[in-house]
Each structure stands twice: as structure tokens, then as C-alpha cells.
């Protein structure tokens, strides 16, 4: 899934690196609002969780398997700013300590999976949540649609980058078509797993789900009598 | 638990490459890979020189090739893409072993394979010769924002704790007849992931409280030491 070294030319890699640095710098300020001085330990543990979640493979057909990207999942659970930080740190650790994704492609990977993946996932999630009734149960379908949109969106941005700075004269339409079709399939797996995980956390600890905050704020304490 | 015990890719050694300061190794890797990526795709002599330089560093690090080679399978999906390139690219056609392929596509495929392989081997060399704690200190010296270094530190420290927790959950699921790979059991798997998230989050809260009680004020004292 991770873009290796040499896939995009040097100017494109440097340009996406600048975008990634800007995006992460903004996220550093935003995450302080979401997590205050708990940022370091909380984001660290959530990043570890995202890494563990990515270890789970699911079959996507033709003998290959995909794995969870987790951008939309992290955004719904801890909020978009912290999610960008967590995803970026996961990608940095994978590039530097696990040789997964090239070091010159780190900016590209952060732009695609941390910035596009998280913000498209969160944006679609917020839109769908607004359309649905204000209940904690609405968080799950909204998260499903957000996750479904986030994966092909990242694939589409990759195709765009490949059209600008790709190293081979492949027809951009072909790349876009193949990438988006393939990633819609992966996106369906991502959406199902994201929805199920969010549903299980909402059922047990809705207070931990950032995306459920508006629904929780309007929920009133309900006192039922013991006798029916 | 995880800290100071090395990580999965680290290969213990005392070669000059192991002893070199981490921030220099990071800068060297980044500079070297930028040169490799910027090399035009038909400068085969340049690729050979870059590959020789890298192999020299690998030899100097005394990390056995037997250790590095199996870990290079990570690039296989992109090798497949590189092999497809001559067939899907357009441009003038040429004939190789009786098969008509696109000439620029062929060059691009070869260049992609070479650059990708050099990249994976170079990253593996950094990962196998650098302790995570040294890497963090190196990043700090390179003016990486302190918060990012701290988050990375926590991630590295708790990586083994959380993945071991996930591993125990998987063993428990398998021993109850559940196959986590099958979509039929995704609901069970997802509940386990939900539980893992709650446990990780609550562990983060406990860690934060423990740090506060030891005088944490937003900076980690041990990381400032060089």
C-alpha cells in the first residue's frame, strides 16, 4: 500500500513533502485543542492501536489481501487533528524502522494516507452525520460512508500525482480507472471493518468516540422507574 | 517493556555504521535516496555506482545479507507493478524475447525496480543498524517538533505491549473456533478491535496520570539527554 522510493519523480516527492509538513504542523496545533496536555501519551497509544489494526489483513479477491488503513476510523474515534498526527507517526515509524514505504516517498504517503485519508473520511462523516437524526446510533452509518469514501479518494489523489510526476508514460485515465476501481473494493472492506469497530466502541464507551460528542451532548439523563 | 530491547528489524552490532550518529545516518539516507530518485531512468552507470555504494555500506555494517534479503519481500507488490509497466505504458514499441512491449515503459519498469530495491535496502540498513532510542534522539537533533518525537517515543515504547495484547486476543478467538481472516467472523474481530482501542486509550490515560504524578510538564526529561 505504501508508495516506495522512485515511484514519483524528485520534484513531486519534495512538493508532497512540503504539503505533508504543512498539514502535520497544522495538526500539531489542532491536536492540542482536542487532547490538551494529554496529546503525547494519548496520540502515541492511539497510533500504536492504528498500527496494530493495520496488521489485520482481509482478502480482497484474486488471492491478494488488503489491510485497514484506519484514517477514517482514527478520525471518528479521536477527532481529525489527532488522527492526522497518529497516522503520520505510524507512517514515519514504518518508513524509518520497518522499511515500509520509501523515505523520499514519506511526504507522499503522509499526504495520501494521513491528510487525504483522514480529512476526506472526517468530512464525509460529518456531512452524513448532519443528514441523520442526532443519535449515537447515527455515528455508525456515517463512519461507514466516511471510510468508504476515504480509500478511493486517496487512490484518486495518487493517480493525480502519478499523472504529474509519474516515471512512466501510462495513460492517466487508465491509472485513475484501475486505482479507483481496485480501491473501491478495498474501501468496502475498510468501511465494513470501520463500521463494526465504531459500533462496538459506541455500544460500550460512547464517551470515547469523538464523532459521537454532539449526539452525547444533547442526550438527557433519563430516569426510569424500577417497576414497569 | 518495549524500550531499550531493540525492535524487530534491529541487528545488534558494533560496526562503524552502527556507531555513526543517528542524525547523520538519517540525513545520509535522505540525501542518498533523493539523488537515486532524481537519477534519470536510462543512466544505468549511475544506478550501478549507487548500488555499489549502498552495498559497500551494507558490507561495512556487517549485517549479513541472509538477514536483509528475506526482509526485502516488502517491495514485492511494487515489483509486480514494475513488471507490468512495459505492457501498460504507451509510446514506441520494441521487441524483447519475442514480446512486443512499450520502450519507455520498459525503461521505466527497470528504473522503478532498481530505485525501489535500492530504497528498500537503504531503509533496511538504517533500520537494522539504529536503535529506536538513538533514532528518536537523531530526529530531535534534526529539529523534528518535540511533540512528534514524543508521540513516536510512546508508539515505539508501547508497540510490543499493544501488539502482544492483540496477539493474545487472536489466540483466544482462534481457540474458540473463530477465524479472524474470514469475513464471516468480522463482527467478532471488530469487537476485539473495539476492545483493543478502549484498552489502548485507557492505557494512554493511565500513562498520562502516572507521568503527571512524576512531574510531567509537557517535556520528556530523558529525551533531552544526548
Amino acid at each position: 500500500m505504501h508508495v516506495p522510493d522512485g515511484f514519483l519523480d524528485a520534484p513531486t516527492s519534495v512538493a508532497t513533502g512540503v504539503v505533508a509538513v504543512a498539514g502535520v504542523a497544522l495538526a500539531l496545533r489542532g491536536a492540542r485543542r482536542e487532547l490538551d496536555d494529554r496529546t503525547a501519551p494519548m496520540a502515541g497509544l492511539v497510533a500504536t492501536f492504528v498500527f496494530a489494526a493495520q496488521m489485520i489483513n482481509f482478502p480482497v479477491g484474486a488471492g491478494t489481501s488488503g489491510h485497514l488503513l484506519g484514517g477514517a476510523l482514527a478520525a471518528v474515534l479521536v477527532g481529525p487533528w489527532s488522527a492526522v498526527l497518529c497516522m503520520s507517526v505510524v507512517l514515519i515509524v514504518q518508513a524509518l524502522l520497518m522499511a515500509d514505504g520509501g523515505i523520499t516517498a514519506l511526504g507522499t504517503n503522509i499526504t495520501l494516507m494521513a491528510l487525504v485519508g483522514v480529512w476526506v473520511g472526517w468530512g464525509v462523516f460529518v456531512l452524513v452525520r448532519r443528514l441523520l437524526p442526532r443519535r449515537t446510533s447515527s455515528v455508525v452509518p456515517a463512519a461507514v460512508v466516511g471510510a468508504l469514501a476515504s480509500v478511493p479518494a486517496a487512490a484518486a489523489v495518487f493517480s493525480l500525482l502519478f499523472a504529474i510526476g509519474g516515471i512512466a508514460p501510462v495513460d492517466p485515465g487508465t491509472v485513475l480507472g484501475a486505482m479507483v476501481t481496485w480501491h473501491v473494493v478495498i474501501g468496502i472492506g475498510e468501511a465494513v471493518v470501520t463500521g463494526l469497530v465504531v459500533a462496538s466502541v459506541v455500544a460500550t464507551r460512547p464517551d470515547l468516540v469523538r464523532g459521537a460528542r454532539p449526539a452525547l451532548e444533547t442526550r438527557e439523563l433519563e430516569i426510569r422507574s424500577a417497576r414497569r | 517493556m518495549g524500550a531499550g530491547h531493540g525492535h524487530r528489524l534491529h541487528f545488534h552490532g558494533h560496526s562503524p555504521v552502527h556507531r555513526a550518529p543517528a542524525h547523520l545516518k538519517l540525513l545520509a539516507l535522505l540525501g542518498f535516496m533523493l539523488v537515486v530518485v532524481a537519477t534519470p531512468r536510462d543512466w544505468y552507470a549511475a544506478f550501478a555506482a549507487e548500488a555499489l555504494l549502498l552495498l559497500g555500506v551494507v558490507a561495512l555494517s556487517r549485517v549479513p545479507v541472509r538477514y536483509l534479503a528475506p526482509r526485502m519481500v516488502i517491495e514485492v507488490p511494487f515489483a509486480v507493478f514494475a513488471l507490468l509497466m512495459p505492457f501498460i505504458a504507451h509510446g514506441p514499441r520494441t521487441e524483447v524475447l519475442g514480446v512486443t512491449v512499450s520502450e519507455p515503459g520498459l525503461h521505466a519498469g527497470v528504473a522503478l525496480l532498481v530505485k525501489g530495491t535500492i530504497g528498500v535496502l537503504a531503509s533496511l540498513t538504517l533500520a537494522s543498524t539504529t536503535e529506536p532510542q538513538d533514532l528518536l534522539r537523531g530526529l530531535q537533533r534534526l529539529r523534528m517538533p518535540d511533540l512528534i518525537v514524543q508521540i513516536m517515543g510512546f508508539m515505539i515504547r508501547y508497540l510490543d505491549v499493544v501488539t502482544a495484547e492483540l496477539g493474545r486476543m487472536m489466540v483466544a478467538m482462534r481457540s474458540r473456533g473463530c477465524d479472524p481472516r474470514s469475513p464471516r467472523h468480522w463482527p467478532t474481530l471488530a469487537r476485539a478491535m473495539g476492545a483493543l482501542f478502549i484498552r489502548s486509550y485507557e492505557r494512554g490515560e493511565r500513562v498520562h496520570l502516572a507521568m503527571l504524578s512524576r512531574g510531567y510538564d509537557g517535556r520528556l526529561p530523558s529525551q533531552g539527554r544526548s
Side-chain angles (χ1 to χ4, degrees), chain B:
Chain B
M1 251 170 115
H5 288 243
H7 58 97
R8 275 155 233 169
L9 277 183
H10 187 257
F11 185 86
H12 185 75
H14 299 282
S15 72
V17 184
H18 281 87
R19 285 199 310 266
H23 62 283
L24 293 184
K25 281 193 270 191
L26 274 167
L27 283 181
L29 175 67
L30 186 61
F32 174 70
M33 283 321 299
L34 274 176
V35 171
V36 171
V37 169
T39 309
R41 60 178 184 228
D42 43 3
W43 288 18
Y44 292 112
F47 283 138
E50 286 157 359
L52 275 179
L53 180 66
L54 178 59
L55 288 176
V57 175
V58 172
L60 190 66
S61 73
R62 277 183 249 136
V63 178
V65 176
R66 252 183 325 136
Y67 181 84
L68 294 174
R71 287 165 175 81
M72 290 179 69
V73 293
I74 205 155
E75 66 158 341
V76 163
F78 290 94
V80 172
F81 190 86
L83 293 178
L84 279 177
M85 200 76 98
F87 301 100
I88 56 173
H90 46 74
R93 301 269 136 185
T94 182
E95 208 158 284
V96 179
L97 304 172
V99 187
T100 317
V101 294
S102 149
E103 200 180 337
L106 184 68
H107 285 299
V110 171
L112 182 61
L113 208 54
V114 170
K115 289 178 182 179
T117 309
I118 291 180
V120 170
L121 189 58
S123 302
L124 275 176
T125 311
L126 173 78
S128 57
T129 59
T130 316
E131 290 273 12
Q133 298 308 316
D134 296 334
L135 188 77
L136 289 179
R137 253 173 244 135
L139 287 171
Q140 212 164 28
R141 285 199 66 169
L142 293 174
R143 299 266 179 279
M144 179 77 116
D146 196 44
L147 197 54
I148 296 270
V149 177
Q150 283 190 34
I151 297 174
M152 279 182 75
F154 279 105
M155 180 180 165
I156 291 166
R157 192 175 293 244
Y158 287 99
L159 200 58
D160 290 337
V161 178
V162 173
T163 50
E165 195 151 36
L166 177 67
R168 286 193 295 277
M169 286 173 164
M170 291 292 167
V171 168
M173 282 166 71
R174 288 213 176 86
S175 59
R176 285 163 177 77
C178 173
D179 171 22
R181 272 186 70 86
S182 149
R184 215 155 47 87
H185 291 146
W186 275 0
T188 324
L189 178 67
R191 273 195 290 277
M193 295 311 298
L196 186 69
F197 169 73
I198 294 171
R199 288 182 191 181
S200 306
Y201 196 93
E202 289 178 345
R203 189 186 293 278
E205 285 175 335
R206 290 198 302 276
V207 168
H208 175 245
L209 287 179
M211 283 159 58
L212 282 185
S213 64
R214 286 161 180 78
Y216 175 67
D217 59 352
R219 292 190 55 84
L220 286 191
S222 60
Q223 304 251 325
R225 205 174 56 205
S226 59

Side-chain angles (χ1 to χ4, degrees), chain A residues 84-119:
Chain A
V84 167
L85 278 192
C86 296
M87 295 295 291
S88 307
V89 167
V90 168
L91 291 166
I92 296 172
V93 169
Q94 282 171 338
L96 294 182
L97 290 179
M98 286 144 205
D100 197 0
I103 190 166
T104 57
L106 187 55
T108 313
N109 282 321
I110 289 180
T111 306
L112 292 176
M113 282 183 265
L115 299 181
V116 177
V118 167
W119 282 110

Side-chain angles (χ1 to χ4, degrees), chain A residues 33-82:
Chain A
R33 273 205 303 280
E34 279 171 0
L35 289 171
D36 53 69
D37 72 327
R38 298 179 303 155
T39 305
M42 299 310 298
L45 264 298
V46 174
T48 319
F49 164 74
V50 170
F51 179 83
Q54 287 188 352
M55 292 181 9
I56 292 175
N57 286 302
F58 49 83
V60 282
T64 55
S65 64
H67 67 77
L68 200 69
L69 293 180
L73 177 64
V76 173
L77 290 177
V78 294
W81 297 115
S82 313

Side-chain angles (χ1 to χ4, degrees), chain A residues 206-220:
Chain A
D207 56 314
L208 295 190
V209 182
R210 185 91 194 172
R213 287 275 171 89
L216 283 180
E217 275 160 13
T218 55
R219 199 159 73 169
E220 285 184 10

Side-chain angles (χ1 to χ4, degrees), chain A residues 163-180:
Chain A
I164 299 168
I167 47 143
V170 185
D171 180 37
T174 318
V175 177
L176 183 71
M179 283 293 286
V180 171

